[in-house]
């Protein structure tokens, strides 16, 4: 724990973590808020899953594009424009009566314009700490972001039930604006400039390490999205228990990140951490009551933040600095496609087979996320004792010989 306190005392680190957590706090609220809101309007979890899937697909398409644009136009212009469009779309979804197809279209626009906060901050981190601090910082960040998933679902559920589902969505929009302004105003965002990548869009995916991280991130987030839908279906939109169970799920991730985040990243690191998630989810589907789900998901959560920390470390150590934002954008795209597929499959599973089916859909995704890095461990770099900072960009230097 002392290493984490030392990190937080490093100039710029605490405010970067605080600002990006606030800006990304809506991510912990919007899925559940929209799920409850749309299910209440149309009496269908499948309809809610389709709208969430459309939003996630929009984010998936935007991920590498907006991340790459930050290297061409600068971080601040891209972040400001996307924040304005995204906020307007979310507010429209909450206030304007629309059919399912209308909600899907505006949800897609909201996803397409979601500010690329995560790629931006992951790119800034190597410039504010030294190479030895980078792996613990990724772990601290992955653990701290679980605050989003601890408080977000609880707040979204509480406001949706006690006030209205519309109020829950508008509160998420407020966090997006407040956190986005705070993040954009930080001096580190103005000081760090991403070099323009000389490669074509998507070439970075040819690196096996980036592709491995993208695919496993897809499986992990698909599992989390399916669990979220399944837990809401277990308790119904009239109970706050769903928010509490999902909050406990996130507490497990927070505990795991702080407890395991300092461990060396060897070739089995990703598979071993994903195995924890798989076991917890498989057990969770056995009994669908509050205490059993809470205990099983607490165990499953222990593997989540450490898995994310490994993903970030693999990418950071494997690509040039000019490609880091795009690489993180692709990882975000993989995760968001996973969220879309996980939500949609879970919604249909719930409508056809009940809430428990969604939990097993989640366990299936997690099992694939364990198997893939185990079979592909030769593409998993051994980072024990290695510098995980991005590879510096180099250019030919002309030397004049007299």
């Amino acid at each position: 724990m002392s290493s984490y306190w030392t990190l937080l005392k490093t100039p710029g680190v605490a405010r970067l973590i605080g600002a990006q957590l606030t800006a990304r706090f809506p991510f912990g609220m919007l899925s559940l808020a929209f799920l409850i809101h749309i299910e209440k309007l149309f009496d269908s979890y499948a309809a809610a899953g389709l709208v969430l899937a459309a939003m996630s697909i929009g984010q998936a398409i935007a991920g590498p594009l907006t991340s790459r644009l930050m290297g061409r136009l600068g971080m601040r212009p891209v972040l400001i424009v996307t924040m304005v469009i995204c906020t307007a779309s979310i507010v429209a979804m909450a206030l304007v009566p629309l059919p399912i197809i209308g909600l899907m279209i505006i949800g897609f626009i909201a996803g397409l314009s979601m500010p690329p906060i995560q790629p931006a901050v992951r790119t800034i981190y190597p410039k504010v700490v030294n190479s030895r601090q980078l792996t613990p910082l990724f772990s601290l960040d992955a653990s701290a972001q679980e605050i989003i998933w601890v408080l977000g679902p609880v707040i979204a559920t509480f406001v949706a039930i006690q006030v209205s589902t519309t109020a829950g969505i508008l509160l998420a929009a407020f966090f997006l604006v407040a956190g986005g302004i705070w993040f954009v105003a930080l001096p580190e965002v103005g000081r760090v400039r991403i070099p323009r990548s000389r490669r074509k869009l998507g070439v970075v995916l040819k690196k096996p390490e980036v592709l491995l991280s993208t695919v496993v991130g897809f499986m992990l987030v698909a599992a989390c999205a399916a669990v979220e839908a399944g837990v809401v279906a277990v308790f119904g939109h009239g109970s706050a228990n769903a928010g509490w169970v999902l909050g406990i799920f996130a507490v497990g991730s927070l505990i795991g990140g702080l407890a395991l985040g300092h461990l060396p990243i060897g070739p089995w690191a990703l598979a071993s951490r994903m195995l924890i998630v798989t076991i917890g989810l498989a057990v969770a589907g056995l009994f669908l009551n509050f205490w059993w789900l809470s205990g099983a998901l607490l165990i499953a959560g222990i593997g989540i933040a450490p898995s994310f920390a490994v993903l970030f470390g693999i990418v950071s150590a494997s690509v040039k600095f000019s490609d880091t934002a795009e690489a993180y954008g692709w990882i975000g795209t993989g995760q968001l496609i996973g969220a879309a597929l996980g939500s949609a499959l879970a919604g249909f599973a719930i409508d056809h087979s009940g809430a428990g089916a969604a939990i097993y859909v989640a366990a299936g995704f997690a099992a694939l996320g364990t198997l893939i890095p185990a079979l592909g461990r030769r593409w998993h770099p051994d980072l024990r004792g290695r510098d995980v900072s991005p590879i510096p960009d180099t250019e030919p230097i002309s030397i004049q010989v007299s």
Side-chain angles (χ1 to χ4, degrees), residues 329-401:
W330 281 112
I331 289 179
T333 290
Q335 293 173 6
L336 290 161
I337 294 174
L341 187 59
S343 295
L345 289 182
F348 285 110
I350 292 165
D351 284 349
H352 287 86
S353 304
I359 306 295
Y360 286 114
V361 167
F365 278 120
L368 286 173
T370 303
L371 185 63
I372 289 168
L375 296 177
R377 62 186 180 278
R378 62 180 176 143
W379 296 307
H380 187 309
D382 188 347
L383 302 180
R384 291 173 292 187
R386 278 184 53 188
D387 182 356
V388 298
S389 299
I391 301 167
D393 287 271
T394 56
E395 295 181 354
I397 301 174
S398 59
I399 300 176
Q400 198 169 28
V401 181

Side-chain angles (χ1 to χ4, degrees), residues 8 10-22 121 182-183 186-188 191:
L8 290 173
T10 303
V13 170
R15 60 179 175 238
L16 274 169
I17 292 177
Q20 65 105 355
L21 287 179
T22 305
V121 77
W182 181 14
F183 185 77
L186 293 179
E188 291 78 13
R191 283 199 298 263

